Every structure is written in structure tokens, then in C-alpha cells.
């Protein structure tokens, strides 16, 4: 099964909806960059509520299952919309957390390609942690601790805008023009339009002059020379020539060029 980029992005849409705007933009960019490498991914976790976090923390402690987190409710960046988890999206629609898989056959583990893209975008990777490595985890916290978030602090709009602008630049998207840039751009369009009109007028005038130079019939004095030129294989056609053209053909014929052939 070959999925389009839009189909791949749709599989993560529900997990991205609760993220901060800049983190959501960074997550979407990561999906796009990974897809461009031939490594489709799916975001398996985005915003997680405090009760959900408490339930996850209880797993392997007071409830069945393996321990998958050391963070209680309010102590995970997932609880504040600044963290995501990802997995590799398989051709059959399934998912994989195999960090050694090389599905695109380029000799580089797919997981490593995704992590490299994530770090370029500014994500912090849980696989770099010295204890309790969390391989699928990525977070973009804007240098705020979970204590800061619990206290109600959030990234400034300037921080969010700066990150979004950086991502747009990485994606090759044009940034919004300033009012002065828009004014200069409109002036440039007017100048280019005027130049195009002048060029078009000159081209039409040149074509008119060229047409006027063409003779509707081959002059009688040049008929024999034109036939000699065609017989010698020098010219394929001699119709619609100018006066100067026929004059030159006649001169060349008279000096015997067409009898000798052009060398």
C-alpha cells in the first residue's frame, strides 16, 4: 500500500489537535520531512490529560502492564501540548517501533532519519536521556520546566512566531512580506509589465519590417541563379526572399560558386 502525504498526515491529525501552535507546525513538518525520505511516520501521542497521565503512571505499579513512564500527572510535557510520540508507519497500515528497521533500503535506520529531522526542527529526543530512555518521545518545551507549566507559564508569542518562521524557512516557504516589501513588489510588477509591452511592440515592428523586405515573387533576373543554387544543393527553397537575398544568390552564381559547390 502506497500512501500519499495527505493520507499519512491525516492519520496523525487527531493527535496533533491539542498541541501548541508551534509544536503542531513542527510535528507536521517532521511528518513531511520524514515522508520525503521515504519514511512515513504516525504521531501516536500528543496532548495527554492529567487523569490519562496518572493512569499511565499507575501501569506496572498499581495496575497490570509494564512501566512506561516515570511522570505523574502534571509532570509530563505531554500534559501541556509540547510533546509527541511517534512510530514508523508500515506499508500495510500497521505501525512499528523497530529502531533498526531500514524500510526504504538506503542503509540508514528509518528511526535515525526521523530523529535527525526532528533535531533539525528543534525537537529534543527522549533517546538522548541518560536514564529511562524514551525512544519514541520528542518534546519542544521552549526552555520551560513542567513546574513552570504547572504554574501557568507558557511560551511567549514571540517564541512561537520565531519557531514557525524557522520551520517555514526550512520548508522553503516564503515569509509574509512587510508593507514596504509589498509596495516595492507592486512597483516591480508595473515596471516589468511596461518592459514586456515595449519588447512586444519592438518585436512586432521588427516582424513588420522583415515582412516588408520579402518579395512576393522571385525577380526574373534571379530565377536562373536560384535554380542553379537549388540544383547544386546549396538552397532548399528560394521563395519569399528579400531583394538583397536574390542579389547575393545571383552574384554567387555568376562567379561560378554553384558549379563548383560550396567547400
Amino acid at each position: 500500500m502506497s500512501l500519499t502525504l495527505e493520507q499519512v498526515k491525516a492519520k496523525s491529525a487527531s493527535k496533533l489537535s491539542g498541541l501548541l501552535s508551534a509544536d503542531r507546525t513542527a510535528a507536521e513538518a517532521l511528518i513531511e520531512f520524514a515522508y520525503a525520505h521515504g519514511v512515513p511516520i504516525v504521531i501516536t501521542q500528543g496532548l495527554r490529560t492529567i487523569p490519562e497521565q496518572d493512569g499511565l503512571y499507575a501501569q506496572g505499579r498499581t495496575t497490570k502492564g509494564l512501566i512506561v513512564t516515570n511522570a505523574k500527572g502534571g509532570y509530563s510535557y505531554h500534559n501541556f501540548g509540547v510533546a509527541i510520540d511517534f512510530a514508523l508507519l508500515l506499508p500495510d497500515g500497521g505501525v512499528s517501533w523497530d529502531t533498526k528497521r531500514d524500510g526504504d533500503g538506503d542503509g540508514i535506520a528509518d528511526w535515525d532519519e526521523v530523529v535527525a529531522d526532528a533535531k533539525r526542527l528543534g525537537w529534543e529526543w527522549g533517546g538522548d536521556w541518560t536514564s529511562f530512555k524514551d525512544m519514541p518521545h520528542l518534546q519542544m518545551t521552549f526552555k520551560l520546566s513542567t513546574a513552570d507549566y504547572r504554574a501557568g507559564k507558557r511560551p511567549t508569542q514571540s517564541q512561537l512566531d520565531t519557531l514557525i518562521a524557522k520551520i517555514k524557512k526550512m520548508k522553503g516557504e516564503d515569509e509574509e512580506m512587510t508593507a514596504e516589501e509589498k509596495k516595492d513588489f507592486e512597483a516591480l510588477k508595473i515596471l516589468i509589465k511596461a518592459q514586456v509591452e515595449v519588447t512586444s511592440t519592438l518585436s512586432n515592428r521588427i516582424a513588420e519590417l522583415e515582412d516588408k523586405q520579402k518579395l512576393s515573387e522571385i525577380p526574373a533576373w534571379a530565377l536562373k541563379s536560384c535554380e542553379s543554387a537549388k540544383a547544386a544543393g546549396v538552397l532548399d527553397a528560394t521563395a519569399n526572399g528579400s531583394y538583397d537575398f536574390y542579389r547575393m544568390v545571383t552574384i554567387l552564381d555568376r562567379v561560378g560558386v554553384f558549379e563548383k559547390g560550396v567547400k
Side-chain angles (χ1 to χ4, degrees):
M1 177 180 66
S2 179
L3 297 175
T4 66
L5 175 58
E6 291 308 311
Q7 289 173 325
V8 171
K9 291 172 72 173
K11 289 182 176 294
S12 298
S14 63
K15 299 299 183 182
L16 301 181
S17 60
L19 299 178
L20 292 188
S21 60
D23 290 74
R24 183 170 63 252
T25 299
E28 290 172 345
L30 178 60
I31 294 171
E32 294 172 11
F33 287 1
Y35 185 85
H37 290 310
V39 184
I41 64 171
V42 61
I43 305 305
T44 58
Q45 185 66 71
L47 176 66
R48 188 185 296 141
T49 66
I50 301 295
E52 287 173 338
Q53 187 68 38
D54 285 333
L56 200 61
Y57 180 78
Q59 185 176 311
R61 294 181 173 90
T62 58
T63 63
K64 292 182 179 180
L66 299 174
I67 293 178
V68 293
T69 182
N70 282 336
K72 296 180 180 180
Y75 288 79
S76 168
Y77 283 112
H78 280 290
N79 304 150
F80 306 101
V82 292
I84 59 174
D85 293 338
F86 75 92
L88 304 177
L89 186 59
L90 301 177
D92 63 1
V95 297
S96 171
W97 287 268
D98 180 0
T99 60
K100 302 300 181 183
R101 186 176 187 275
D102 180 17
D104 56 349
D106 61 359
I108 304 172
D110 296 344
W111 204 272
D112 292 341
E113 292 185 75
V114 178
V115 169
D117 281 331
K119 289 183 176 181
R120 283 200 304 127
L121 287 162
W123 290 102
E124 177 189 347
W125 180 43
D128 287 330
W129 297 343
T130 55
S131 61
F132 201 84
K133 291 182 179 292
D134 193 349
M135 305 299 279
H137 182 86
L138 298 167
Q139 61 187 40
M140 194 173 292
T141 66
F142 302 93
K143 297 182 179 179
L144 294 175
S145 66
T146 55
D148 290 328
Y149 281 101
R150 288 196 303 276
K153 294 182 180 180
R154 294 294 183 270
T156 65
Q157 190 60 49
S158 176
Q159 287 177 302
L160 299 176
D161 291 343
T162 298
L163 176 59
I164 291 175
K166 171 190 173 183
I167 293 171
K168 284 185 176 182
K169 185 175 182 180
M170 290 175 67
K171 292 170 64 175
E173 297 178 1
D174 292 330
E175 297 181 11
E176 181 69 20
M177 289 189 291
T178 64
E180 189 65 27
E181 289 173 333
K182 289 180 179 179
K183 181 180 177 181
D184 291 342
F185 180 66
E186 291 302 320
L188 180 61
K189 286 199 299 184
I190 293 173
L191 177 61
I192 292 174
K193 182 180 179 182
Q195 291 177 331
V196 169
E197 290 175 351
V198 169
T199 301
S200 177
T201 300
L202 288 174
S203 296
N204 292 336
R205 181 56 179 159
I206 291 171
E208 289 176 5
L209 292 173
E210 289 179 341
D211 286 339
K212 288 182 179 180
Q213 290 295 317
K214 293 179 182 179
L215 301 179
S216 58
E217 296 182 358
I218 300 174
W221 49 264
L223 281 172
K224 179 178 176 299
S225 296
C226 286
E227 291 300 322
S228 297
K230 288 195 289 185
V234 176
L235 296 174
D236 293 327
T238 54
N240 298 317
S242 65
Y243 177 88
D244 289 337
F245 168 77
Y246 293 121
R247 182 169 176 273
M248 181 60 66
V249 170
T250 300
I251 292 172
L252 293 174
D253 183 41
R254 287 177 180 176
V255 297
V257 169
F258 302 140
E259 294 179 2
K260 302 173 184 178
V262 178
K263 298 181 180 179

